[in-house]
Amino acid sequence: DTGVSQDPRHKITKRGQNVTFRCDPISEHNRLYWYRQTLGQGPEFLTYFQNEAQLEKSRLLSDRFSAERPKGSFSTLEIQRTEQGDSAMYLCASSLSTGWEGYTFGSGTRLTVV
Amino acid sequence: DAKTTQPNSMESNEEEPVHLPCNHSTISGTDYIHWYRQLPSQGPEYVIHGLTSNVNNRMASLAIAEDRKSSTLILHRATLRDAAVYYCILRDGGANSKLTFGKGITLSVRP
């Protein structure tokens, strides 16, 4: 296992278009998290899954954002009708559900909305 | 989530020890102290965590004050590859807790 993989690494899209990002977690990890990071800030929590169940969503996750994790393996994050304010690095992380386990992060997908 | 306070930035010299402070005066008894670091153009990376006792691993040491209201991440010999943003995070020991990041401290290492 080579860690958490995210695809694509970079995405440039026009305002109003839909985009979808994919995250492949470490195979034995049952938890998967999405974060968003803008320049100069720490990552902000968006949502997380335990297996296929989405257990928590941040208020940051507007109606234009949707995340899925079918079959409890990979996950997708879709942004509909993108806005310039959506430009950010989108980070995925995975972990085991035992309380103190550290997260393993991917390298992120950098989204630029023009 | 309980909050942490870190300086914005710190500079160090290569091959010298680095002490990165973190204040968490409102820590609760079930909060673990976690440290992550983020190298340029990468996702955050787990460094170390502890509850009450000092902890050592291959990357760093974590010194926790007796009253747990502050902690210090210690890099024993800084290298250029240690230049990164270091985040001090409190995480409740409950099974459903998540990591909440602040702005972190930017460490620069001079050759």
Side-chain angles (χ1 to χ4, degrees):
Chain A
D1 201 337
T2 56
V4 177
S5 299
Q6 292 190 245
D7 183 68
R9 289 295 308 275
H10 303 274
K11 178 71 176 178
I12 300 174
T13 191
K14 291 184 178 179
R15 190 173 50 188
Q17 297 294 305
N18 299 343
V19 293
T20 300
F21 310 140
R22 177 179 171 123
C23 172
D24 287 272
I26 291 175
S27 56
E28 60 265 30
H29 284 180
N30 57 348
R31 285 195 173 173
L32 186 148
Y33 308 82
W34 285 99
Y35 283 78
R36 181 173 68 187
Q37 186 173 27
T38 53
L39 199 62
Q41 304 296 316
E44 296 173 297
F45 170 78
L46 292 179
T47 188
Y48 91 92
F49 294 83
Q50 180 156 316
N51 300 313
E52 66 274 12
Q54 189 173 17
L55 296 187
E56 186 174 346
K57 293 195 291 185
S58 164
R59 290 172 296 173
L60 294 174
L61 213 65
S62 76
D63 291 345
R64 297 184 297 105
F65 288 69
S66 63
E68 294 182 343
R69 193 183 182 197
K71 303 178 184 178
S73 56
F74 72 92
S75 175
T76 58
L77 178 67
E78 181 183 16
I79 309 174
Q80 296 182 326
R81 305 181 303 281
T82 53
E83 302 172 356
Q84 286 191 320
D86 297 330
S87 296
M89 175 74 81
Y90 290 83
L91 293 161
C92 175
S94 69
S95 75
L96 293 169
S97 58
T98 52
W100 63 267
E101 287 287 342
Y103 292 15
T104 302
F105 279 84
S107 295
T109 293
R110 179 163 296 285
L111 173 66
T112 303
V113 182
V114 297
Chain B
D1 293 318
K3 295 197 173 182
T4 64
T5 305
Q6 300 178 257
N8 289 333
S9 62
M10 181 174 286
E11 286 190 339
S12 71
N13 295 317
E14 195 176 13
E15 298 188 5
E16 291 185 357
V18 181
H19 290 234
L20 302 176
C22 182
N23 288 320
H24 29 79
S25 59
T26 60
I27 190 170
S28 74
T30 56
D31 285 333
Y32 284 77
I33 302 159
H34 288 247
W35 283 83
Y36 280 72
R37 73 177 185 181
Q38 188 171 21
L39 302 173
S41 301
Q42 294 189 26
E45 172 188 28
Y46 167 81
V47 177
I48 200 167
H49 79 281
L51 183 62
T52 56
S53 302
N54 294 345
V55 183
N56 300 297
N57 67 18
R58 64 174 180 83
M59 290 181 71
S61 296
L62 177 60
I64 302 173
E66 195 168 335
D67 64 4
R68 300 212 320 129
K69 294 186 176 182
S70 65
S71 60
T72 302
L73 180 71
I74 302 165
L75 307 179
H76 296 286
R77 286 180 74 245
T79 69
L80 297 179
R81 288 192 68 251
D82 290 323
V85 179
Y86 287 78
Y87 299 98
C88 171
I89 302 166
L90 298 184
R91 185 182 179 198
D92 188 278
N96 293 324
S97 67
K98 62 184 183 292
L99 291 176
T100 300
F101 290 80
K103 288 190 175 182
I105 178 171
T106 301
L107 174 66
S108 303
V109 179
R110 291 183 290 252

